Amino acid sequence: MEQKMYQSFKVGNVDIKNRLVKSAMFEFAANNGKITKPIIDLYREAAEGGAGLIITGMQAVTAGGGNSPIMVQTTYDSYVDDMSKIVEVVHQFGSKVFVQLQHAGHRSFWKGGYDTFAVTDIPVAEDFSYHAATVEEIDSLVKSYGLAA
């Protein structure tokens, strides 16, 4: 009898070949928010190793929503082409990939010109605090999630 972890399953309408999942982990390898060869290689290795489902590391839905320049952003011009390279590599091994979309909130890189809003006012340094997000910022962020998806 086949072990359950090697049995296929569905997530929504997506067929996953087995129950081996590479969970989301920050790659620390983007170049100014852009997908790089080391990122593509990381996902290739996970698929080649047998993972049925691969969940990407955090990918910022706005240019200012990341926590550093080494975090992937979904907003640069060739993002779709670069993400397609990951999908193509992963699909070669019969694996699927889900993207973890996010905004870093109070963990965004405030010294680097990133967004400085959070759920509430949060001090992050002696002389600096994030402000509570305005309705307009929340509306814009909701739209950004939709565009990224």
Side-chain angles (χ1 to χ4, degrees):
M1 181 163 137
E2 184 178 37
Q3 290 182 350
K4 191 163 184 100
M5 68 187 225
Y6 294 108
Q7 292 175 357
S8 62
F9 72 107
K10 283 179 102 73
V11 176
N13 63 352
V14 179
D15 291 314
I16 311 295
K17 70 179 183 177
N18 60 42
R19 294 163 191 258
L20 300 174
V21 177
K22 183 224 164 276
S23 66
M25 293 183 285
F26 190 12
E27 303 97 348
F28 294 95
N31 181 1
N32 288 318
K34 296 179 180 170
I35 293 170
T36 60
K37 184 177 182 321
I39 292 174
I40 296 168
D41 291 344
L42 174 74
Y43 295 120
R44 174 186 292 110
E45 290 168 13
E48 193 172 22
L53 175 61
I54 297 167
I55 304 170
T56 69
M58 302 179 299
Q59 296 190 2
V61 298
T62 68
N67 60 10
S68 75
I70 59 173
M71 181 178 162
V72 173
Q73 296 176 3
T74 62
T75 56
Y76 68 94
D77 288 342
S78 60
Y79 169 79
V80 172
D81 293 333
D82 291 347
M83 193 62 217
S84 294
K85 292 174 189 172
I86 292 173
V87 171
E88 183 179 317
V89 163
V90 165
H91 284 183
Q92 287 176 4
F93 298 96
S95 303
K96 301 293 168 53
V97 62
F98 288 180
V99 175
Q100 179 187 194
L101 299 175
Q102 69 86 50
H103 182 281
H106 74 283
R107 300 273 191 224
S108 63
F109 188 47
W110 63 277
K111 287 184 178 181
Y114 290 69
D115 293 341
T116 57
F117 62 84
V119 220
T120 187
D121 294 338
I122 297 175
V124 293
E126 275 187 37
D127 60 346
F128 186 81
S129 292
Y130 283 80
H131 68 271
T134 65
V135 171
E136 292 79 19
E137 287 169 327
I138 293 169
D139 286 344
S140 178
L141 193 54
V142 168
K143 288 176 186 158
S144 294
Y145 271 93
L147 288 170

